[in-house]
Amino acid sequence: MLLEIGRIAKPHGVRGEVVVELTTNVADRLAPGTRIESDRGPLVVVTSRPHQGRHLVVFEGCASREAAEALRGVVLRAEPIDDPTRLWVHELIGSVVRDAEGPERGKVVEVQANPASDLLVLDDGALVPLTFVVSWGDGEVVIDPPAGLFD
């Protein structure tokens, strides 16, 4: 299963560099030599550098503004990173949410970005900040919510 890790926004300059907006917080996804899958086939990163909250990237075979323009809007995908110490969005979708006290609260249907803390969106519409997650794994998320969160 490939996950969306970013999108090519637009060309930058005249030598094939593109602006990439990452949807992951793992900037190493754009390390030189990294192979990234896309609807246009595999792309290999030659260089990458942060720039104004995004990244400027050169891919192999992309050496002109015209080549960079042809990549505008392309979605970038990669294999999930296997790190059991990190909480990954794709592992949360479909998980059953249980209160630390025991009751089931619903299933995660979406993870919504929020400046203070991303939110688990449950199948009944309830929103649970990720800051209340105490454990996860095997299709279950255990939360320790404050009193009144589900009232």
Side-chain angles (χ1 to χ4, degrees), residues 17-35:
E17 201 167 39
V18 294
V19 176
V20 172
E21 296 172 341
L22 286 178
T23 54
T24 176
N25 62 353
V26 183
D28 287 349
R29 294 289 204 164
L30 296 176
T34 302
R35 178 185 161 124

Side-chain angles (χ1 to χ4, degrees), residues 3 9 12 14 16 24 28-29 38 57 69 83 88 98 102 109 114-115 119 121 125 133 135 139 144 146 149:
L3 303 176
H12 181 81
V14 296
T24 176
D28 287 349
R29 294 289 204 164
S38 78
V57 180
E69 183 64 49
D83 183 349
W88 301 104
R98 292 194 188 285
V109 295
N114 187 356
L119 303 169
V121 180
V133 172
S135 67
D144 187 16
L149 182 68

Side-chain angles (χ1 to χ4, degrees), residues 16-20 30 36 44-49 55-59 62:
E17 201 167 39
V18 294
V19 176
V20 172
L30 296 176
I36 300 172
V44 177
V45 177
V46 175
T47 64
S48 172
R49 59 190 168 104
H55 285 78
L56 298 179
V57 180
V58 174
F59 292 107
C62 185

Side-chain angles (χ1 to χ4, degrees), residues 108-133:
V108 178
V109 295
E110 179 184 354
V111 177
Q112 194 174 83
N114 187 356
S117 172
D118 289 349
L119 303 169
L120 299 177
V121 180
L122 305 187
D123 52 2
D124 65 357
L127 301 174
V128 179
L130 281 177
T131 55
F132 300 138
V133 172

